[in-house]
């Protein structure tokens, strides 16, 4: 099994995906253990002094003015975890919780948190044992960290609350730890706070969304090319010299992908035949511009994610010179903005894909295709309601594109009076990514059927490869009406698994 070694200087997006989705094992580097021990010495020295230090010998948030005596500090750390584990609503997905825990461990191992090495090792042991804390949908405002979600994880570390075992069954965390031979942690000064104070949930969801969207944008370029082909459109608008004079990198990449897919097609270039048209509709002609802008948004979001992956987010932090200083690095604004930005770009990509699907189904705009791609229009409805489903998904994506980060709501007796809502931005982006996958799947379903209905014209070799792969995946071709939902589900599974890109690249070479 793949092993991820956590050091003092952050982790990569690939590390996050390996732990969250593939169950990779985690090891702590010697440097990380040494940094943990050194920072802990500083915290212990401060804890022994009579002067109050925030997070070490004081209360938290609006209660930070109270100095806590040594005999109550262990109770204080337990209490902050118990009281902050106040999430509600449905359970969050296993991969999100694993990413959340792993990224908190990454910051702990930076040596800036003051957490003991044995606490970090226990976090790694829990992940390696396949134990996943029960984390709920609601409880984070994206500031002072993803507090409730991280608290539910810390509760498991203490052997309290509920968690999911490696068999998928939810049981008391104490039982699961005992079966795995893991001793629950007795938290000491600052450790409870250090386990809660991070942007780890929203960052983990950003990293996973970026990975999913990278594949989806390539898939959308392919489905757009197939729609252009099915509509007998022109590929001249994809010429690299046209995109070079508007030098957005994403636009050029999308145009190049479409051009590669369409190479060798007998269907393109017939837009001047029976019903001459000077130009294709915007949804066809401007596909690289819209998808390209989304690609450039991905690039910006990836830069933010990389910076956050290299960060140590905690408050207060232990500095190399021995100071323990308060800060505002837990504020989720940098991550929240790009999560919202991605939801906007995804909604627009879904919207333009739906417009192309609608053109394929409309006999007045499809240039010779049967109404709704039906076998016997009137007796058969064809893909009419598949487009309804696609339209409903697009409409929801537009609602999900409303930024969460534009909102703020004060908490903690006005001490935490401006928050990022980054967790909410991440949660709705996950729904957007799911919806976009389904939208691309429906366009692909319609475009492959439409190409097969163009008798006498041979599609591009790459298009043929996609059609063959789609059919092999259980998505049926043209014919009389049938129970449509299974076909759509199979198309969705095909796109979700990266089947579009896998089918095309042996013909086109790697897509950009």
């Amino acid at each position: 099994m793949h092993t991820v070694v956590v050091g003092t200087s952050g982790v990569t997006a690939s590390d996050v995906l390996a732990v969250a989705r593939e169950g990779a094992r985690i090891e702590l580097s010697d440097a990380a253990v040494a940094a943990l021990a050194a920072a802990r010495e500083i915290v212990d020295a401060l804890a022994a002094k009579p002067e109050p230090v925030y997070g070490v010998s004081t209360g938290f948030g609006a209660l930070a003015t109270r100095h806590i005596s040594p005999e109550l500090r262990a109770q204080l750390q337990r209490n902050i975890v118990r009281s902050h584990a106040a999430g509600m609503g449905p359970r969050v997905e296993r991969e999100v919780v694993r990413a959340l825990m792993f990224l908190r461990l990454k910051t702990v191992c930076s040596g800036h948190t003051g957490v003991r090495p044995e606490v970090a090792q226990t976090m790694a042991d829990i992940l390696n044992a396949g134990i996943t804390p029960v984390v709920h949908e609601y409880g984070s405002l994206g500031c002072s960290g993803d507090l409730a979600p991280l608290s539910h994880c810390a509760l498991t570390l203490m052997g309290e609350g509920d968690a999911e075992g490696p068999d998928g069954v939810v049981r008391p965390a104490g039982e699961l730890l005992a079966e795995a031979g893991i001793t629950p942690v007795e938290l000491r000064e600052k450790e409870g706070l250090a386990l809660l104070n991070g942007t780890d949930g929203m960052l983990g969801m950003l990293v996973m969304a970026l990975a999913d969207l990278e594949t989806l944008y390539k898939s959308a370029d392919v489905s757009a090319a197939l729609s252009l082909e099915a509509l007998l459109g022109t590929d001249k608008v994809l010429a690299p010299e046209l995109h070079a004079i508007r030098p957005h990198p994403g636009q050029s990449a999308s145009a190049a992908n479409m051009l590669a897919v369409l190479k060798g097609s007998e269907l393109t270039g017939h837009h001047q035949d029976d019903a001459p048209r000077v130009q294709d509709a915007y949804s066809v002609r401007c596909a690289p511009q819209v998808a390209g802008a989304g690609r450039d948004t991905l690039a910006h979001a990836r830069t933010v994610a990389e910076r956050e992956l290299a960060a140590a987010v905690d408050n207060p932090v232990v500095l190399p010179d021995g100071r323990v200083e308060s800060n505002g690095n837990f504020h989720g604004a940098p991550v929240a903005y790009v999560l919202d930005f991605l939801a906007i770009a995804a909604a627009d990509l879904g919207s333009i894909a739906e417009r192309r699907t609608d053109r394929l189904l409309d006999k007045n705009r499809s240039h010779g295709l049967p109404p709704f791609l039906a076998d016997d229009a009137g007796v058969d409805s064809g893909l009419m309601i598949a487009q309804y489903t696609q339209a409903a998904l697009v409409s929801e994506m537009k609602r999900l594109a409303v930024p969460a980060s534009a909102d703020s709501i004060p908490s903690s007796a006005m001490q935490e009076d401006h928050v990022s809502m980054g967790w909410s931005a991440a949660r709705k982006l996950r729904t957007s990514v799911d919806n976009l996958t389904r939208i691309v799947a429906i366009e692909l379903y319609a475009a492959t059927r439409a190409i097969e209905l163009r008798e006498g014209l041979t599609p591009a070799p790459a298009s043929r490869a996609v059609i063959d792969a789609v059919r092999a995946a259980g998505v049926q071709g043209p014919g009389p009406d049938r129970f449509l939902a299974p076909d759509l589900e199979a198309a969705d599974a095909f796109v979700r698994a990266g089947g579009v890109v896998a089918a095309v690249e042996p013909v086109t070479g790697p897509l950009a």
Side-chain angles (χ1 to χ4, degrees), residues 91-352:
R91 284 179 57 197
V92 171
E93 303 87 355
R94 182 176 185 269
E95 67 177 14
V96 172
V97 180
R98 287 184 61 83
L100 171 77
M101 289 186 69
F102 175 65
L103 288 168
R104 184 76 313 224
L105 175 61
K106 174 268 298 183
T107 284
V108 164
C109 287
S110 70
H112 290 294
T113 67
V115 169
R116 288 169 295 152
E118 51 264 43
V119 176
Q121 185 59 58
T122 303
M123 295 172 74
D125 291 343
I126 289 173
L127 284 165
N128 289 340
I131 297 170
T132 307
V134 171
V135 172
H136 299 279
E137 182 81 19
Y138 303 105
S140 174
L141 300 179
C143 201
S144 292
D146 288 319
L147 287 175
L150 282 163
S151 298
H152 283 275
C153 294
L155 203 64
T156 297
L157 203 64
M158 293 164 47
E160 300 181 15
D162 292 326
E164 178 186 299
D167 59 358
V169 177
V170 174
R171 294 165 54 197
E175 292 181 12
L176 292 169
L177 265 58
E179 289 178 6
I182 299 171
T183 302
V185 168
E186 290 285 343
L187 298 176
R188 288 169 48 179
E189 290 93 344
K190 195 184 180 299
E191 290 179 336
L193 187 61
L195 294 174
L196 315 185
N197 234 322
T199 54
D200 309 292
M202 63 184 92
L203 176 58
M205 286 185 274
L206 172 60
V207 169
M208 289 186 282
L210 286 169
D212 294 339
L213 286 168
E214 182 177 358
T215 300
L216 266 177
Y217 269 82
K218 292 178 183 179
S219 302
D221 288 341
V222 175
S223 66
L226 267 62
S227 289
L228 182 153
E229 196 172 18
L231 290 166
L232 306 179
T234 177
D235 59 359
K236 290 183 179 180
V237 297
L238 304 174
E241 59 270 24
L242 293 176
H243 298 278
I245 62 176
R246 194 188 190 194
H248 294 289
Q251 177 179 323
S252 293
S254 285
N257 285 345
M258 292 180 67
L259 200 58
V261 172
L262 293 169
K263 184 177 181 180
S265 174
E266 292 184 3
L267 280 78
T268 58
H270 292 275
H271 59 294
Q272 297 283 9
D273 289 356
D274 297 332
R277 58 193 191 276
V278 176
Q279 299 173 320
D280 290 316
Y282 283 10
S283 60
V284 178
R285 185 170 20 129
C286 301
Q289 285 77 6
V290 173
R295 284 169 166 271
D296 291 341
T297 302
L298 283 177
H300 171 59
R302 193 172 294 111
T303 297
V304 172
E306 288 168 355
R307 291 169 182 163
E308 199 76 358
L309 286 168
V313 179
D314 193 16
N315 178 48
V317 291
V318 180
L319 297 174
D321 60 9
R323 287 180 295 148
V324 175
E325 297 285 358
S326 293
N327 67 87
N329 283 345
F330 48 72
H331 199 290
V335 183
Y337 293 165
V338 293
L339 288 162
D340 280 331
F341 201 174
L342 289 173
I344 293 168
D348 203 32
L349 185 63
S351 180
I352 198 171

